[in-house]
C-alpha cells in the first residue's frame, strides 16, 4: 500500500467514525441536491438528519479533513473517492442506509463513478432536491458566511448555476425549493417517499 492509499484509508475510517445515527436502522435512500453554493443545502441536510435519523456525507467536511495533515500526505487522494468509500462502508457495515449527500451533484452526475450513477446501478432509491433561489440571494448568503474562499466561490457561481440548468434536463427533482419557507413541505414530501419505499429495498 503506497502513502496515498494509506492516507485514503485513514481518511475514510476517520470520517466514517464521525457519521451520525449509524446504529439506527433506516431504509436505503440517497438524497441528492441540485443546488449552488449558498443555497442552503446544509440547513436542509441538518433538518433531514434530525427529523428522520438519516446519516450524511459532506464534501466540505471531507475537504477540511484532507487539508489537515501538515505533511501533505493527502496529495493524490481524491475527495470523491473518499466520500464514495465512506458511503460504501455505511451501506455494508451499518443498518442505516439513509444517506444525505451534502453537495451539488450537477457538475459530475454524468460520470460512471458519480454518486448518482452508483445509486442507479445499485438500485438505491433516490430523492432529488433542487434549490432554485435568485442569484442575488445566493451571492448575499455566500458573502455573509465570511469564509476565506468567498471570492473564489463567487467567481464560480455563474458556472454552478449553468451546470445545474443542464443537469435538471437529465435529472427530475422530487422537490423544488424556491424559498426558505418550503422546508416543511419538503420534509413532508420526503416522508412520503420513505413510506413508499418497498419493504424488499428497506
Amino acid at each position: 500500500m503506497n502513502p496515498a492509499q494509506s492516507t485514503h484509508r485513514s481518511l475514510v475510517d476517520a470520517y466514517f467514525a464521525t457519521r451520525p445515527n449509524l446504529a439506527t436502522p433506516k431504509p436505503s435512500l440517497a438524497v441528492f441536491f441540485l443546488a449552488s453554493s449558498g443555497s442552503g443545502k446544509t440547513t436542509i441536510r441538518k433538518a433531514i438528519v434530525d427529523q428522520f435519523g438519516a446519516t450524511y456525507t459532506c464534501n466540505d467536511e471531507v475537504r477540511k479533513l484532507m487539508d489537515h495533515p501538515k505533511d501533505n500526505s493527502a496529495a493524490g487522494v481524491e475527495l470523491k473517492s473518499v466520500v464514495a468509500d465512506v458511503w460504501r462502508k455505511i451501506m455494508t457495515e451499518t443498518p442505516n442506509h439513509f444517506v444525505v449527500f451534502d453537495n451539488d451533484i450537477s457538475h459530475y452526475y454524468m460520470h460512471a463513478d458519480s454518486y448518482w450513477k452508483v445509486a442507479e446501478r445499485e438500485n438505491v432509491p433516490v430523492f432529488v432536491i433542487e434549490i432554485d433561489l435568485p442569484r442575488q440571494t445566493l451571492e448575499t448568503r455566500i458573502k455573509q458566511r465570511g469564509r476565506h474562499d468567498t471570492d473564489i466561490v463567487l467567481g464560480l457561481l455563474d458556472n454552478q448555476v449553468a451546470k445545474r440548468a443542464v443537469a435538471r434536463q437529465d435529472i427530475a427533482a422530487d422537490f423544488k425549493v424556491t424559498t426558505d419557507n418550503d422546508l416543511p413541505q419538503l420534509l413532508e414530501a420526503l416522508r412520503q417517499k420513505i413510506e413508499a419505499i418497498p419493504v424488499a429495498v428497506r
Side-chain angles (χ1 to χ4, degrees), residues 180-199:
D180 292 340
N181 296 327
D182 288 341
L183 183 57
Q185 294 92 331
L186 164 60
L187 296 175
E188 174 59 21
L190 182 54
R191 182 190 65 77
Q192 293 178 17
K193 174 72 174 186
I194 295 168
E195 291 180 352
I197 296 174
V199 174

Side-chain angles (χ1 to χ4, degrees), residues 157-170:
L157 187 55
D158 286 336
N159 184 53
Q160 291 179 358
V161 172
K163 286 185 178 297
R164 179 167 57 83
V166 172
R168 67 186 180 194
Q169 296 178 26
D170 297 325

Side-chain angles (χ1 to χ4, degrees), residues 9-23:
R9 176 176 292 182
S10 296
L11 288 167
V12 169
D13 290 344
Y15 192 63
F16 170 81
T18 64
R19 298 306 80 219
N21 303 322
L22 291 182

Side-chain angles (χ1 to χ4, degrees), residues 82-162:
V82 172
V83 174
D85 282 350
V86 170
W87 184 23
R88 186 175 299 109
K89 199 172 175 70
I90 290 170
M91 297 296 283
T92 59
E93 298 183 16
T94 84
N96 191 340
H97 297 166
F98 183 176
V99 183
V100 183
F101 290 81
D102 187 351
N103 64 278
D104 175 29
I105 65 168
S106 298
H107 72 289
Y108 200 76
Y109 73 93
M110 72 293 293
H111 295 278
D113 61 341
S114 69
Y115 315 138
W116 173 258
K117 291 294 187 182
V118 171
E120 190 176 66
R121 286 197 301 273
E122 299 294 331
N123 295 314
V124 176
V126 301
F127 187 88
V128 179
I129 301 169
E130 180 183 358
I131 308 178
D132 188 15
L133 301 178
R135 191 193 187 287
Q136 184 59 49
T137 300
L138 298 175
E139 185 174 330
T140 298
R141 289 182 174 183
I142 291 168
K143 291 177 179 178
Q144 288 175 341
R145 293 189 305 194
R147 293 182 1 181
H148 68 88
D149 61 348
T150 295
D151 289 341
I152 295 174
V153 174
L154 287 173
L156 295 172
L157 187 55
D158 286 336
N159 184 53
Q160 291 179 358
V161 172

